Every structure is written in C-alpha cells, then in structure tokens.
Amino acid sequence: MKFSVSPIPPAGRRRPRATTAMLLAGTVLLSSGCAVAGSAAGDAGRADGRTLRVVLTQEPPTLEPCEASLTGTGVVVRSNITEPLVERDPDSGELHPLLATGWKQTGERTWTFDMRTGVTFQNGEPFTAEDAAFSIDRAVNSDLACNVEGYVFGDEDLEVKAVSDTRLTVTTEQPDPILPLRLSFVEIVPRTTDAEAKVRIPIGTGPYAVGSWQPGAAISLNRYDDYWGEAPAFPRARYVWRSDASVRAAMIDKGEAEIAVALDPIEADKDTTASYPNNETTALRLDGHEPPLDDLRVRRAVDLAVDREGIIDALLGGLAEPAGQLVPPGVVGHNDEIRPTRQNVARAKALIEEAEADGVPVDRQITLVARNGMFSGVSETAEALQYQMQQIGLNVRVRMADTATQLQYQLRPLPEGVGPIALLIMHGNQAGDAAFTTSQYLLSDGPQSTFGTEELDRRIAEAGALFGEERQKAFADLLADQNRTVVQYTHLAHMSGLLGLSRSIRYEPNSATGDELRLAEVSPAKAKH
C-alpha cells in the first residue's frame, strides 16, 4: 500500500490552500482615544510593518515540541518553529510531504519514509533520518510523558531505524493503516536535544526560531534565514496574551496587533474578524467513579438537562452547532445518524428522583471545572451548565482554572480526593480520524478518559485496524454505543473560531488555525514601495 504525495514546487515549500484570500489593510481607531489597559505598544511590540504581532488568550504552558498537540503550545510551535515528516491538509484531509518526501508500506507492520535533503535545523545542524528516528523515539518511546504519546499513539511503542541518512523505517506493534497520519503529530528536533527532560526553547527546521521568551510578557520569533522552504513575509513575530476577549479585539482596532485569537461572538459583524469551523467540540466529561456521577441515570439526566440551543444562541453568538458526539462532521467515524440530545427537564428530574430513591447521594457536591480562556464565553457557559444541572436537583459548584490546573483534571494520572468532577473540555480532532478521539476519550484507561467498558475497548481496537468504509462504520457504531451504554460525555457544541485580523495583513483561517497558526501563510496586504 502506498500513499500518493504531492510534489513540492522547486521554489520552495508551498502548502495547498483555497484560492480565495481574506484581504485586510489599514487600521481602525476606537472612538475613545484611551489606550487599552495592559496592552500598550511597548508590551505588544511597535507597529513597524516587519513584526507580525499575535495576541493569544493565555501564555503557552510550554514550547516543548512533543507537547505540540496541546492547543496552547501547538498554536506557537507547530509549523512555525518545528515541523513533522508529513502534514495533513486541513481542507482536503490529504497527506502531503514535508520533511519526508514520500512513504510506503513495506511490510505488514513496517513503513518506509524517504527524507528531504538540504534541510538544516536552526542551530545549523543538517537534518537526517537519524534526527527523525531520535524525535519519534523521544516523543513516543521515552519516559517524558509527552502529550503526543498518549493522544496519538496510546500505549504502543514504535521501532524506528535510520537505514541511511535519507531513509527511515518505522515498525508498529500491530498493523497500523494510518501510521503516516499519526506521524504528522511528531515534531522533528535535532538528535542533540535532551532525551531525558523537556526543553524550554525548542530547535526545529521551521521558518522561525525562538528569539526570546519573557515569562508573563511575550515570546519573540525571528525568521530563520536558512529555512529550506519559501521564506515567510515577516522577519519577526511576537506573541503576547490577554485573557479578556474585548481587550484582544481592541488591540486589533488600535493597531497594537495584527492577529487576535478567540474573539467574542459580539465582534462577528466587524470587517476585522473572520469566523471559521475549527473542528473543536465542547463537552462535559463526567466522572464515572465518584457518586453520584457513577450512576448511569444521573449521567443521562445531566445530558437531558442541558439546553444546547440556548447556550449557543445566547452565549456563543450562534457560531456553533449542537453536538451529539465528540467527532465533528468531516472526520472519519462521524455518525450522521446521531442527533444532539434535546433538553427534557421533566425526564431529567425523574431520573434523579429515581436514583435518589435507590440511595444514590444526588445531593453530593459536583465540581464543574472549566478553563479560563478556553473559548469566548466559557465562564458564562459554565454558569449556565451549573444552573441547568441544579434545576434537576443536583448540587453543583463551578471552579474556573488556569491551563496548568485544568490539565491536572484532564490528563491521567487524575487527581484523587477531589470528589465528583464534571470537566468542561474542548476536543479538536485535527487529524480527521476517530481513532484519535476514541483512544483518548473513550478507552477505559485512555489518557483523557475517566472510565469505560471492556466491550467498548474491544470495539475501539477492532475499528482501528480497519480500512475505508468498514473503518467509518465501525467507529460510527461505537460512538452511538457510547451514547447508549456509557454516557461519559454530555456533548454540547461543534465550535467555530473567531479571529481578529488587521486590515494590514492577508490571511485565510482554516479548520487547523486554532491549533496551528502558520505564520508563513500571513502576508502584508499590499507590497511596500
């Protein structure tokens, strides 16, 4: 079996994209002449036309490349500082060559990859198959506990071997029909990188290198002049972070930033914003071990209590669709027959009363944990969910957390002695295959799952070994079965992102933008003379 790959034009690396681009030029001043609090030009970098200024919701938790599947890290690192062997086009879903020029299956469990020549890391070292082998081994087989290991590869180790400077073989424990897709999540670093500890300042083959990281203030990138592909338009980039969406929007209006992420839906009608489907799905993950959430009736009641349409219309500006599963449309395994649960308060109350009559402690306090800055309106959404759960007889308190704290609740090993947890999550299946969702969120011992069943575990393993239509049907069926027999998740919405864009730049967001904001795809709106 061989994957077809698109050649890279001789002029350099060019990524496939839709032809229509968003043109934005100039700046808009707020009617008030006051400066935005906490976002002075000195903080964000002065507008010099050569520094691309990006404002995030929060400071990245890390720049470690093996953690780049975390949104807060990937939005800075992926395709800017580091690159993988293979990349997936977010529009078509096709795989394209990057640091690997081609690949094919050369055995039942083995794939062979050919490396691109003439590539150097930002420290001047040449890129070879040895670096690729080291990077895969470091991310997947080591004790670093990288997010990419659990999210993409689960518990399986890989046997990697550099056959020569330009050829790599990767052998899996079991036949894996989507190994090239999985490797698109492994960022390549030089083999001199620390293999026993995560790094603060990464080195990669990307178009930008880290210039500085001022904790609590900014991250600066400089264009890597020896980049193997097409040089990005901006010599420098600078990231700052502001938790308030209105401040991020005002920074665009006042010319203090060119790009602002996760704007409030109230900004959607402005000509300096662009909405895009971002493959993110929000849901409440319910703890299946702690009462009262260990009772199936209580979990069903929570699902029935939620007014998805009301939350979307009132709090998300209509920029979302009600969800009935973690996998959004367009992803292999999405089940077209699953419909979002309709709110039914009477039925939910009846289930709670039934559980209480059987001795379930439904009055035990449930902590609803949500992350600040997860999406615009997240705190209001958490409060709405709290109210709706209380309306059916549950005792709920909200805890808003920073990224580091929220990850403690999201990833194994999960905290102990904290009582029943309803965790507000936002899952992005950027890879386009339900295997990445089910292995993380539905397996009994999945890195981001609190419980499951042996039957569901078996079906997930069987679906992962299938191809084509059989794979699609198997995953679609098990997603429906999760809703019937496990109900670990109260699905809320398939989300859209809203990006603030200065009129001085040209950039077209896509479904990957929220996880992987490629600076090389941003250009000035008009050439300077």
Side-chain angles (χ1 to χ4, degrees), residues 210-249:
V210 178
S212 66
W213 184 357
Q214 301 165 278
I219 295 172
S220 296
L221 307 184
N222 297 322
R223 185 167 60 194
Y224 177 46
D225 291 335
D226 290 329
Y227 179 55
W228 63 269
E230 187 174 359
F234 288 90
R236 294 177 297 276
R238 181 177 171 90
Y239 297 90
V240 297
W241 34 90
R242 301 289 181 269
S243 60
D244 192 316
S246 64
V247 171
R248 296 195 296 276

Side-chain angles (χ1 to χ4, degrees), residues 5 46 52 66 82 94 171 195 209 223 271 294 301 323 349 407 413:
V5 294
R46 295 190 179 277
L52 180 62
C66 79
T82 59
E94 296 177 354
T171 302
R223 185 167 60 194
D271 64 357
D294 62 345
K349 286 183 176 179
L407 286 175

Side-chain angles (χ1 to χ4, degrees), residues 320-388:
E321 294 293 333
Q325 56 194 302
L326 284 178
V327 175
V331 171
V332 172
H334 174 82
N335 190 325
D336 292 335
E337 297 181 1
I338 293 177
R339 295 289 178 265
T341 302
R342 299 288 301 212
Q343 185 185 38
N344 189 330
V345 175
R347 174 60 179 151
K349 286 183 176 179
L351 287 171
I352 295 297
E353 291 170 359
E354 180 183 323
E356 185 177 25
D358 287 342
V360 177
V362 297
D363 59 345
R364 187 184 184 197
Q365 187 176 78
I366 298 168
T367 302
L368 195 163
V369 179
R371 174 170 61 83
N372 291 312
M374 179 182 288
F375 56 85
S376 181
V378 61
S379 61
E380 294 84 356
T381 298
E383 291 169 0
L385 292 169
Q386 175 192 31
Y387 173 78
Q388 290 164 8

